[in-house]
Amino acid sequence: MQDRTSKLISTRIDLQLVGDIWNYHLRLRPGWCSKGEQLLVTFAAGYIAGVFCAIVSHPADVVVSKLNQAKGSSALDVAKQLGFMGMWNGLMPRIIMIGTLTALQWFIYDGVKVALNIPRPPPPEMPESLKKKLGVQ
């Protein structure tokens, strides 16, 4: 159970990071692109998020898989046996799978919002404390 929890936490952190980059740096303002272009950008951002998730979680998942096969051994024993490069075996199929699944999830979510004409949230504003610190009005 703890392995699943740690995987969910690392996935959430990765998705939050990509979401923050999207919100603060790459957000497309309403009217800057068509609905189709918006969905294309959403798909691409979801794929990038999936790639990050796959890369971050892959070594731990390989070790857990090997632990399930080698009863009685510790994670450290399995990691030593695999070696650094061994923990990255099978990464490319995982990137394709997780990247595509995440991109499709984001695409479906944004597609429903576009189909139902649900407005996008307003762009985030700089916190007041940071405005004061930088002297920005």
Side-chain angles (χ1 to χ4, degrees):
M1 180 67 180
Q2 187 173 0
D3 294 325
R4 289 182 181 167
T5 303
S6 64
K7 183 176 180 179
L8 287 173
I9 290 170
S10 71
T11 301
R12 176 69 187 136
I13 290 169
D14 293 337
L15 292 175
Q16 184 65 43
L17 174 66
V18 172
D20 287 345
I21 291 170
W22 174 258
N23 285 333
Y24 293 106
H25 300 291
L26 301 176
R27 178 171 275 202
L28 297 175
R29 303 292 187 253
W32 283 13
C33 63
S34 69
K35 291 180 180 183
E37 290 169 334
Q38 177 184 337
L39 291 174
L40 182 63
V41 169
T42 298
F43 186 86
Y47 204 91
I48 292 167
V51 169
F52 282 135
C53 291
I55 291 170
V56 167
S57 63
H58 188 71
D61 283 347
V62 168
V63 170
V64 168
S65 294
K66 294 297 181 183
L67 273 174
N68 289 332
Q69 293 173 0
K71 302 290 184 195
S73 55
S74 69
L76 190 58
D77 293 337
V78 170
K80 284 180 182 177
Q81 180 186 3
L82 287 170
F84 180 77
M85 294 306 292
M87 286 192 271
W88 297 100
N89 287 340
L91 179 61
M92 193 52 69
R94 183 181 177 89
I95 284 175
I96 293 168
M97 180 185 73
I98 302 286
T100 304
L101 288 173
T102 306
L104 286 173
Q105 288 172 347
W106 285 32
F107 182 82
I108 291 167
Y109 172 79
D110 209 28
V112 169
K113 285 178 62 177
V114 166
L116 297 176
N117 279 333
I118 298 173
R120 298 183 66 157
E125 290 189 26
M126 187 182 301
E128 289 298 322
S129 58
L130 188 57
K131 284 181 183 179
K132 288 178 184 175
K133 184 177 180 181
L134 297 174
V136 177
Q137 292 296 331

